[in-house]
């Protein structure tokens, strides 16, 4: 709930290297600890088990890093944004590094839904001749198979530049297509079409941009 | 030798296993890889990261080696089953976290033995590392393999697997050992020479290969199961104590894990040892004499520790933290420091009285989950036998205070199969728990009574080396189930539920706890038959253990269940925790007569032998207040470290 006395700081950070292997829960805990180490005047919820008022952006699959990840932190006192950023940087490991901090309005959408459109960049082990985008992808959700139409989620074309593939997916209120599932099927289709050898695999997988719908 | 970095081979495996964060290193606070040219020590916890990274011994020992000149420590943990199997498939050996190099490439490897169910994991660790399992099979350039930890007090079931077993507190002993190995290696000494020198020079070092194992009748005559093969090797190995503990900083370098580990919080050790003298308890005998750190030291460590780690929880650890002479002051100050930060404070406690509850209340805030009390036995008679100096009134006054203060759930810990236990004692557990429930009900407003939960949790008594009950056998698993059945039938209240520990694993614990060198073959055979992660209930492989016993023709039941007189020489008679065998035998006899022995931190010395043998004193910050609030008894071995209290103690002496 919006408390007008609090200050809402949106912090953008990079999740890189080995730390892309963290689960969303592990990441959340690591960020909270960095906020504590930074000594920022974070707000604490009321109630039986008080906890830090912090909200995280849309989760990344394990193994996918990001250069434009963010969280919203609620502060009880105003700290100039550059000062808050410097304190956070001091308290963060290199692979979980804050790069920007700015205050946003209470009425702005919640961090988890603010940016449903994500652009990903995958660097592959070798350069495919071309990539084949599957039309449908079958995923298992709650032990049930579900077939998703790629066109419902894919925004714009899939770009190939050497060994690097770039694509943009939009999350829908009814569900989303996970970037790692999409990449896996993309590889399978590309290999099946003879456009790349069977050993084709990602060597780096990053979310490079998140934006509003 | 050029360093081998296994990361390029480990990384591709991580997408295929659960919880890759176990294997990443790079946590906040983690140390650099061991510097080139320094002697490299690898500290291993023989279970997964979640258990090992939280372990106090691992933290203390890595820090101790890193603080010493010319050496450095890295960590390694046993990978979970999925990762271990994948590594074997791919030919990737066990690796250290910091530099991701093969554990077998280290100069010295240390494995801590935290409990009796880690033995097959020790073999799993060595095998995965590609280090020969037995000291006799190791070559000149294999690492020197050390062990330590609670199980070192009966080292024989592990004896063939380790080059050196370090007994006691390792803060000084371990860096000393590593330094000696470094110097001797530099001078070109052979492996055999190095081991001999360690046995001669490092206090508390037991080198099993330098002793001949005797048979039973020879051992009984000689007064020891082992015979030193050389004159300069000690016949009895005395535990080491870190004498500077009380004065040393309570703030230690800490690693903050990414993946959730057990006890995932700032742990500040506030005192070491417990002299309550429960006769089944190994820790109570192992860490004598009791030593307290000061309130100033502790409060500063909590403040600084929270700031550098970012943890939202702190635990003031020890065997019984509410016994600290300054505990009220410490909790009040820590509370004030943490106000408004959403930080939880926890205090493990053995104290079963209203003071214990008051202390718990000081830090509980609004959230009052469950409280745990350990009466251990259901009748006063049996509590006197085990020297649990707690009465029903103590328990009930604690329950009154806890439920009046707002707690609604309470867990009562008991042991089944204690020496002299009868069916009346078992029924006594049911009666005690039900009456505790009645007390709780009376202390709670009528409309909230429905939420009261009282649970009874039973462990099976495991006789432990170096305790007054070391001569007593364990009851059979079938008998345990019968007694638990009786207990369940005796509990009539629906709101009181009964849980119990699997007697099959407790049986293996008892064999490991009491066995001699012959048990090592059993462990190895069980491991070859697939036993590993025995402490994980769902992974415990009973068939491997029974099959191994049959194949070897040994009777583990005899080892677990045999009863001896106090004149019987036990397989760990050559190891001592500085508590004298005479004291242990006297305590066993007092148990038989139901005579209790008081806690020497509150009362007079009970003549356990630890202080005179070690040339030490109990170190308290101020006098502990006697339970009845009266003047504490004098004790010639009690030193008061705190400044104000010095005056008092001076006046008293
Ligand atoms: S020697 Fe006496 S004072 Fe020292 S630990 Fe033993 S019983 Fe306590």
């Amino acid at each position: 709930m919006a408390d007008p006395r609090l200050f809402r700081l949106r912090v953008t950070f990079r999740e890189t290297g080995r730390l892309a292997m963290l689960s969303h829960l592990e990441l959340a805990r690591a960020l909270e600890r960095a906020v504590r180490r930074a000594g920022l005047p974070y707000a604490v919820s009321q109630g039986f088990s008080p906890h830090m008022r912090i909200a995280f952006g849309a989760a990344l699959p394990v193994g996918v890093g990001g250069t434009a990840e963010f969280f919203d932190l609620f502060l009880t006192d105003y700290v100039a944004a550059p000062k808050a950023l410097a304190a956070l940087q001091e308290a963060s490991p290199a692979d979980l590094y804050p790069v920007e901090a700015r205050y946003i309005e209470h009425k702005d959408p919640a961090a988890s839904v603010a940016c449903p459109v994500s652009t990903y960049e995958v660097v592959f082990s070798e350069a495919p001749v071309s990539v084949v985008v599957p039309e449908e992808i079958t995923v298992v959700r709650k032990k049930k198979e579900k077939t998703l139409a790629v066109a419902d989620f894919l925004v714009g074309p899939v770009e190939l530049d050497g060994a690097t593939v770039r694509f943009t997916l939009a999350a829908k209120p009814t569900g989303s297509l996970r970037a790692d599932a999409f990449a896996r099927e993309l590889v399978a289709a590309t290999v099946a079409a003879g456009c790349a050898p069977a050993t084709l695999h990602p060597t780096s997988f990053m979310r490079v941009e998140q934006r509003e719908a | 030798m050029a360093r081998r970095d296994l990361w390029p081979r480990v990384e591709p495996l991580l997408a295929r296993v659960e919880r890759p964060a176990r294997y990443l290193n790079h946590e906040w606070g983690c140390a650099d890889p061991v510097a080139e040219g320094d002697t490299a020590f690898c500290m291993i916890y023989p279970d997964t990261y979640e258990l090992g990274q939280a372990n106090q011994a691992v933290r203390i020992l890595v820090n101790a080696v890193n603080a010493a000149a010319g050496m450095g420590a890295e960590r390694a943990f046993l990978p979970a089953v999925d990762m271990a199997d994948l590594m074997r498939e791919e030919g990737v050996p066990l690796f250290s976290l910091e530099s991701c190099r093969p554990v077998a490439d280290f100069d010295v490897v240390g494995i801590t033995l935290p409990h009796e169910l880690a033995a097959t994991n020790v073999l799993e660790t060595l095998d995965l590392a590609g280090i020969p399992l037995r000291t006799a099979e190791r070559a000149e350039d294999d690492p020197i393999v050390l062990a330590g930890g609670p199980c070192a007090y009966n080292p024989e079931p592990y004896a063939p697997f380790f080059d050196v077993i370090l007994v006691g507190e390792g803060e000084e002993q371990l860096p000393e050992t590593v330094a000696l190995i470094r110097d001797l290696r530099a001078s070109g000494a052979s492996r055999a020479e190095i081991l001999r020198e360690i046995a001669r020079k490092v206090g508390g070092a037991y080198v099993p290969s330098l002793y001949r194992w005797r048979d039973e009748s020879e051992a009984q005559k000689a007064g020891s199961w082992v015979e030193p093969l050389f004159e300069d090797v000690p016949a009895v190995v005395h535990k080491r104590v870190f004498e500077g503990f009380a004065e040393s900083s309570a703030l230690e370098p800490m690693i903050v894990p990414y993946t959730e580990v057990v006890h995932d919080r700032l742990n500040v050790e506030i005192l070491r040892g417990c002299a309550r003298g429960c006769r089944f308890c190994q820790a109570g005998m192992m860490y004598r004499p009791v030593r307290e750190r000061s309130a100033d030291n502790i409060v500063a460590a909590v403040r600084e520790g929270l700031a550098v780690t970012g943890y939202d929880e702190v635990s003031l650890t020890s065997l019984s933290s509410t016994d600290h002479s300054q505990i009220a002051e410490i909790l009040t100050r820590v509370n004030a420091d943490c106000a408004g930060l959403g930080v939880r404070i926890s205090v493990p406690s053995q104290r079963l009285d209203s003071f214990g509850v008051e202390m718990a209340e000081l830090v509980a805030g609004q959230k009052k989950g469950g409280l745990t009390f350990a009466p251990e036995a259901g009748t006063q008679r049996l509590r006197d036998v085990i020297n649990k100096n707690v009465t029903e009134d103590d328990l009930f006054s604690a329950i009154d205070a806890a439920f009046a203060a707002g707690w609604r759930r309470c867990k009562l810990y008991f042991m089944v199969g204690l020496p002299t236990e009868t069916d009346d004692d078992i029924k006594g557990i049911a009666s005690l728990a039900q009456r505790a429930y009645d007390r709780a009900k009376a202390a709670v407003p009528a409309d909230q009574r429905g939420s009261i939960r009282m649970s009874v949790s039973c462990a099976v008594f495991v006789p432990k080396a170096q305790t007054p009950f070391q001569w007593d056998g364990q009851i059979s698993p079938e008998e345990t189930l019968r007694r638990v059945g009786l207990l369940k039938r005796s509990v009539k209240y629906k709101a009181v539920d009964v849980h119990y520990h699997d007697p099959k694993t407790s049986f293996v614990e008892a064999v490991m706890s009491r066995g001699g060198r012959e048990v090592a073959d059993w462990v190895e055979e069980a491991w070859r038959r697939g036993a590993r992660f025995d402490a994980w209930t769902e992974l415990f492989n009973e068939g491997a253990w029974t099959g191994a016993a049959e194949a070897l023709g040994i009777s583990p039941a005899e080892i677990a269940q045999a009863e001896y007189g106090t004149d019987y020489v036990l397989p760990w008679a050559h190891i001592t925790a500085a508590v004298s065998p005479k004291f242990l035998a006297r305590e066993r006899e007092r148990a038989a007569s139901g005579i209790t022995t008081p806690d020497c931190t509150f009362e007079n010395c009970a003549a356990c032998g630890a202080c005179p043998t070690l040339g030490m004193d109990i170190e308290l910050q101020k006098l502990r207040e006697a339970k009845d609030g009266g003047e504490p008894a004098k004790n010639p071995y009690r030193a008061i470290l705190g400044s104000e209290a010095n005056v008092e103690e001076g006046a008293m002496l």
Side-chain angles (χ1 to χ4, degrees):
Chain A
M1 261 227 281
D3 178 344
R5 286 163 305 175
L6 299 181
F7 302 88
R8 186 177 176 190
L9 187 71
R10 177 157 291 180
V11 178
T12 306
F13 66 96
R14 291 195 312 246
E15 184 190 354
T16 52
R18 293 182 189 189
L19 298 194
M21 298 300 295
L22 298 187
S23 71
H24 189 60
L25 202 72
E26 289 163 351
L27 175 71
R29 210 170 22 225
L31 294 171
E32 283 181 28
R33 287 173 181 165
V35 169
R36 284 204 176 75
R37 290 192 293 262
L40 295 177
Y42 58 85
V44 171
S45 70
Q46 302 299 307
F48 277 116
S49 49
H51 55 267
M52 181 185 295
R53 295 276 320 269
I54 185 169
F56 303 98
L60 279 173
V62 171
V64 180
T67 54
E69 301 303 300
F70 61 89
F71 62 86
D72 290 350
L73 177 66
F74 294 85
L75 300 178
T76 55
D77 295 306
Y78 177 81
V79 179
K83 208 174 145 204
L85 179 65
L88 282 168
Q89 288 174 335
E90 185 73 17
S92 299
D95 278 338
L96 219 53
Y97 202 69
V99 288
E100 191 200 14
R102 65 191 166 90
Y103 284 98
I104 62 169
E105 300 285 323
H106 283 295
K107 62 175 169 39
D108 290 342
S112 57
V113 295
C115 297
V117 180
S118 298
T119 301
Y120 297 87
E121 218 172 74
V122 189
V123 182
F124 283 103
S125 48
E126 50 232 293
V129 182
S130 65
V131 284
V132 179
V133 181
E135 277 176 20
E136 286 184 338
I137 290 179
T138 304
V139 294
V140 181
R141 219 171 266 164
K142 290 180 187 150
K143 290 187 181 165
K144 269 194 214 135
E145 286 205 348
K146 200 174 164 192
T147 302
L148 303 175
V150 170
D152 289 350
F153 302 93
L154 191 63
V155 180
V158 175
E159 296 164 29
L160 174 67
D161 178 8
T164 303
V165 168
R166 230 178 127 92
F167 59 87
T168 301
L169 295 173
K172 298 276 140 92
T174 50
S176 54
L177 173 57
R178 282 173 51 137
D180 53 343
F182 177 70
R184 196 163 50 234
E185 296 303 321
L186 186 85
V187 167
T190 301
V191 170
C195 299
T199 52
L200 186 75
H201 65 271
T203 58
S204 147
F205 199 149
M206 303 288 271
R207 173 154 69 187
V208 293
E209 196 195 329
Q210 299 192 72
R211 58 182 166 84
E212 290 160 29
Chain B
M1 183 168 36
R3 285 225 182 141
R4 294 192 277 165
D5 180 1
L6 293 172
W7 181 252
R9 293 173 64 199
V10 170
E11 190 182 17
L13 307 183
L14 297 184
R16 298 161 62 188
V17 298
E18 276 176 37
R19 285 219 206 197
R22 286 165 169 157
Y23 312 106
L24 295 180
N25 191 41
H26 286 207
E27 306 100 321
W28 186 256
C30 73
D32 291 334
V34 178
E36 205 73 53
D38 278 357
T39 296
F41 172 71
C42 188
M43 179 77 228
I44 303 180
Y45 188 90
D47 209 309
T48 60
Y49 180 93
E50 297 93 287
L51 290 138
Q53 185 49 49
N55 184 265
Q56 167 169 289
V58 170
R59 183 180 74 241
I60 290 177
L61 297 174
V62 165
N63 288 338
V65 170
N66 279 335
M71 63 183 82
E74 300 193 9
R75 299 164 291 154
F77 302 97
L78 191 57
V81 168
D82 61 343
M83 180 71 166
D85 291 348
L86 195 57
M87 285 163 62
R88 283 203 174 92
E89 229 170 81
E90 302 286 334
V92 177
L94 187 67
F95 53 89
S96 69
L97 287 187
E98 283 78 0
S99 65
C100 204
R101 72 172 131 154
V103 165
D105 288 0
F106 280 76
D107 300 302
V108 187
V109 164
I111 303 179
T112 181
L113 305 173
H115 53 71
E116 289 85 354
L117 292 176
T120 57
N121 274 10
V122 167
L123 298 181
E124 179 78 353
T125 301
L126 291 170
D127 183 69
L128 208 53
I131 298 171
L133 299 188
R134 295 193 174 227
T135 176
E137 297 157 359
R138 286 182 199 135
E140 282 298 332
D141 57 355
D142 280 321
I144 304 273
V145 184
L146 316 175
C151 296
Y153 285 96
N154 174 22
E156 292 309 326
Y158 309 85
F161 310 129
F162 289 104
D163 300 320
V164 182
I165 296 176
L166 296 173
V167 182
E169 299 172 10
E171 278 95 340
E172 295 160 334
Q173 182 190 38
L174 176 64
E176 246 172 58
T177 309
V178 176
L180 192 59
I181 295 171
R182 176 195 59 205
D183 297 346
L184 289 166
R185 278 239 166 103
S187 73
S190 70
R191 196 176 182 88
E193 286 163 340
I194 293 174
L195 296 187
R196 175 96 171 265
E197 281 301 287
I198 292 174
R200 287 180 56 218
K201 291 200 175 138
V202 178
Y206 174 55
V207 178
S209 59
L210 301 182
Y211 300 79
R212 182 177 70 85
W213 185 249
R214 295 173 165 136
D215 67 24
E216 188 178 18
S217 66
E218 197 189 345
Q220 296 309 311
K221 264 182 248 136
S224 171
W225 285 74
V226 299
E227 181 195 0
L229 297 176
F230 303 96
E231 258 174 24
D232 54 357
V233 165
V236 174
V237 175
H238 289 263
K239 77 159 181 201
R240 274 291 282 279
V241 180
F242 173 38
E243 293 190 23
F245 172 81
E247 305 288 349
S248 64
S249 171
L251 178 69
E252 299 172 64
M254 283 267 303
I255 290 170
V256 186
Y258 289 114
T259 195
E260 196 172 4
V261 302
V262 297
H263 312 310
D264 200 357
R265 59 195 180 201
L266 175 69
N267 292 299
V268 174
E269 192 185 9
I270 70 168
L271 79 104
R272 199 170 277 184
C274 169
R276 294 181 160 256
C278 296
R279 291 176 177 135
F280 54 82
C281 178
Q282 195 183 39
M285 302 294 153
M286 244 158 61
Y287 295 106
R288 291 180 183 222
V290 168
R291 291 147 284 158
E292 294 179 348
R293 282 174 168 152
S294 74
D296 288 346
N297 184 356
I298 293 159
V299 171
V302 172
R303 190 182 302 144
E304 181 68 15
L306 287 172
V308 300
T309 60
Y311 270 123
D312 62 354
E313 184 175 356
V314 56
S315 179
L316 305 176
T317 69
S318 76
L319 293 167
S320 184
S321 296
T322 43
D323 285 338
H324 193 294
S325 61
Q326 296 171 307
I327 191 66
E329 177 195 342
I330 294 166
L331 293 181
T332 309
R333 288 171 64 185
V334 167
N335 241 348
D337 279 353
C338 294
L341 297 177
V343 170
R344 289 182 303 279
I345 304 162
S346 59
V347 206
S349 170
Q350 289 297 324
R351 239 181 133 129
L352 224 170
D353 54 19
S354 43
F355 179 79
V357 175
E358 251 171 64
M359 292 301 104
E361 213 189 330
L362 255 183
V363 296
Q366 282 175 294
K367 187 180 181 177
K368 296 197 173 63
L371 266 193
T372 298
F373 296 119
E376 307 288 5
T379 60
Q380 194 59 47
R381 183 201 71 81
L382 192 51
R383 282 194 298 274
D384 288 344
V385 167
I386 64 176
N387 204 43
K388 186 88 204 178
N389 283 309
V390 158
T391 63
E392 265 183 28
D393 282 347
D394 294 331
L395 173 65
F396 291 154
S397 69
I399 298 265
D400 292 347
F403 284 80
W407 272 281
R408 292 294 174 264
R409 280 184 293 126
C410 174
K411 199 186 243 183
L412 301 175
Y413 276 112
F414 293 93
M415 257 185 229
V416 170
L418 285 163
T420 78
E421 184 180 74
T422 65
D423 283 1
D424 285 341
D425 297 307
I426 299 286
K427 289 180 204 152
I429 297 176
S431 158
L432 189 65
Q434 295 186 145
R435 283 178 295 136
Y437 176 80
D438 291 339
R439 292 291 284 247
K441 219 164 122 183
V444 166
D447 59 325
Q448 294 173 27
R449 289 181 183 155
S451 59
I452 300 176
R453 289 287 170 276
M454 187 75 60
S455 73
V456 170
S457 201
C458 293
V460 188
F461 165 68
V462 177
K464 302 265 178 158
Q466 322 288 351
T467 69
F469 288 165
Q470 58 183 354
W471 292 281
D472 290 277
Q474 186 181 55
I475 58 172
S476 69
E478 299 74 47
E479 176 61 11
T480 302
L481 293 178
R482 189 194 68 81
R483 292 189 197 183
V484 170
L486 174 63
L487 170 60
K488 283 184 157 173
R489 285 195 303 281
S490 308
V491 173
K492 307 288 183 219
Y493 290 13
K494 277 216 178 68
V496 177
D497 47 358
V498 177
H499 307 266
Y500 65 99
H501 199 270
D502 181 10
K504 290 189 205 102
T505 53
S506 305
F507 170 71
V508 173
E509 280 179 82
V511 182
M512 294 304 297
S513 181
R514 308 185 83 207
R517 215 173 264 197
E518 73 284 357
V519 170
D521 291 340
W522 187 48
V523 172
E524 187 173 336
E525 184 60 27
W527 171 75
R528 292 199 185 280
R529 288 164 180 259
R532 55 179 168 169
F533 289 99
D534 300 308
W536 297 47
T537 317
E538 70 280 14
L539 295 179
F540 180 71
N541 183 342
E542 194 194 5
W545 287 98
T546 48
E550 276 162 31
L552 296 170
I554 66 163
S555 166
E558 237 163 72
I559 298 171
Q561 292 155 19
E563 299 273 349
Y564 302 108
T566 52
D567 53 354
Y568 184 81
V569 177
L570 294 162
W572 49 89
H574 53 292
I575 306 290
T576 167
V579 170
S580 73
K582 259 200 222 122
F583 172 78
L584 296 178
R586 195 166 64 235
E587 280 296 288
R588 181 63 188 89
E589 280 141 27
R590 287 167 77 102
S593 322
I595 304 170
T596 59
T597 301
D599 179 337
C600 63
T601 60
F602 294 89
E603 311 265 342
N604 202 353
C605 170
C608 80
C611 294
T613 304
L614 296 162
M616 290 177 67
D617 284 330
I618 298 174
E619 296 176 332
L620 305 182
Q621 294 299 324
K622 59 179 203 182
L623 282 173
R624 288 183 173 181
E625 265 167 53
K627 275 192 199 153
D628 55 11
E631 184 98 332
K634 289 181 189 180
N635 181 339
Y637 295 114
R638 190 190 292 134
I640 302 298
L641 304 180
S643 50
E644 323 152 35
N646 261 339
V647 184
E648 272 173 57
E649 180 77 342
M652 214 187 70
L653 294 171

